[in-house]
Amino acid sequence: GQSLEQPSEVTAVEGAIVQINCTYQTSGFYGLSWYQQHDGGAPTFLSYNALDGLEETGRFSSFLSRSDSYGYLLLQELQMKDSASYFCAVREPGTGGFKTIFGAGTRLFVKA
Amino acid sequence: DADVTQTPRNRITKTGKRIMLECSQTKGHDRMYWYRQDPGLGLRLIYYSFDVKDINKGEISDGYSVSRQAQAKFSLSLESAIPNQTALYFCATSDLKFGLYEQFFGPGTRLTVL
């Protein structure tokens, strides 16, 4: 079956670096995405990795290792506004094309 | 600003009632999705549509149906609502211009079934 595993909660201090891991087991794989969701808000796209390696976008970076079925989201210079839930999501084959399967999410608490 | 909108934003209903949740988008995207979100379970795909003539079941389609009335409109129906369908429902879109992997979400509809 398909599954995505990520920690349920992570706590870090303002200004620090935090890494949120995601391991996946799916029937097919085309890429790994990360989304951020603040309480009461909608998920918003952060990054996408189709190939192995690190993708950097400002303070956020995302890494993928397809051979290990593993990826992570790295948040640097943490700010209070980074307190949110973070979801990894796998793009896999679906009827008529691709579909996206989401993990259960990691709730990040940033402390002062 | 181009957007994804959902109506209603909140709805309380009773068991057995038929409910329709509506999604409209002004982004011009071809692909539309319906997800439900439950605490601790993340987002689960209910149905998705790649164009007006294409409807596909997701992970948890039982108890739901959809209609793609136009490129811009994708409705989700609960024919006979039950309490375990209480959840936050999101509509999303994607498009080839954004590589199809980036999804744009609406604000969500909070549905409570009593």
Side-chain angles (χ1 to χ4, degrees):
Chain A
Q2 47 189 216
S3 68
L4 286 84
E5 299 290 332
Q6 53 182 129
S8 58
E9 286 187 9
V10 174
T11 300
V13 177
E14 196 174 16
I17 298 172
V18 71
Q19 178 174 311
I20 299 174
N21 299 320
C22 175
T23 57
Y24 59 86
Q25 181 178 351
T26 55
S27 55
F29 179 84
Y30 288 96
L32 184 70
S33 301
W34 289 92
Y35 286 79
Q36 179 191 60
Q37 185 181 28
H38 286 100
D39 283 348
T44 56
F45 175 81
L46 291 176
S47 67
Y48 177 73
N49 295 66
L51 302 176
D52 291 351
L54 192 68
E55 295 280 344
E56 298 182 61
T57 308
R59 294 188 297 114
F60 294 2
S61 303
S62 57
F63 172 82
L64 175 65
S65 169
R66 288 174 297 170
S67 60
D68 295 322
S69 298
Y70 164 75
Y72 65 72
L73 179 69
L74 191 72
L75 296 81
Q76 302 183 73
E77 301 173 17
L78 279 174
Q79 303 175 9
M80 297 300 290
K81 67 179 182 179
D82 296 329
S83 292
S85 293
Y86 293 84
F87 297 89
C88 60
V90 166
R91 189 175 175 219
E92 63 174 28
T95 305
F98 302 109
K99 62 180 180 179
T100 300
I101 304 299
F102 285 80
T106 297
R107 192 165 180 85
L108 172 64
F109 297 95
V110 180
K111 301 187 302 183
Chain B
D1 188 22
D3 215 345
V4 182
T5 57
Q6 294 183 232
T7 56
R9 295 294 312 278
N10 289 282
R11 181 73 185 267
I12 299 174
T13 190
K14 294 182 178 179
T15 298
K17 294 292 187 181
R18 183 178 188 274
I19 297 296
M20 179 180 286
L21 309 183
E22 301 191 0
C23 176
S24 295
Q25 52 112 348
T26 57
K27 292 183 171 294
H29 290 178
D30 288 331
R31 303 180 179 215
M32 299 187 73
Y33 310 81
W34 275 105
Y35 293 91
R36 69 175 276 175
Q37 185 173 36
D38 300 275
L41 293 178
L43 291 151
R44 291 184 291 167
L45 183 63
I46 307 172
Y47 272 95
Y48 58 107
S49 169
F50 289 163
D51 64 40
V52 174
K53 298 178 182 179
D54 176 77
I55 301 289
N56 303 287
K57 292 183 177 181
E59 305 168 78
I60 54 164
S61 58
D62 287 348
Y64 302 94
S65 62
V66 291
S67 173
R68 185 83 184 266
Q69 301 95 320
Q71 186 202 37
K73 296 185 182 295
F74 193 34
S75 299
L76 176 71
S77 293
L78 289 68
E79 296 301 326
S80 180
I82 56 177
N84 76 0
Q85 292 177 312
T86 293
L88 185 56
Y89 290 84
F90 285 102
C91 173
T93 70
S94 67
D95 195 82
L96 189 59
K97 292 191 298 292
F98 298 93
L100 297 174
Y101 50 78
E102 179 175 357
Q103 296 193 13
F104 298 83
F105 285 80
T109 294
R110 186 166 296 281
L111 176 66
T112 303
V113 183
L114 302 177

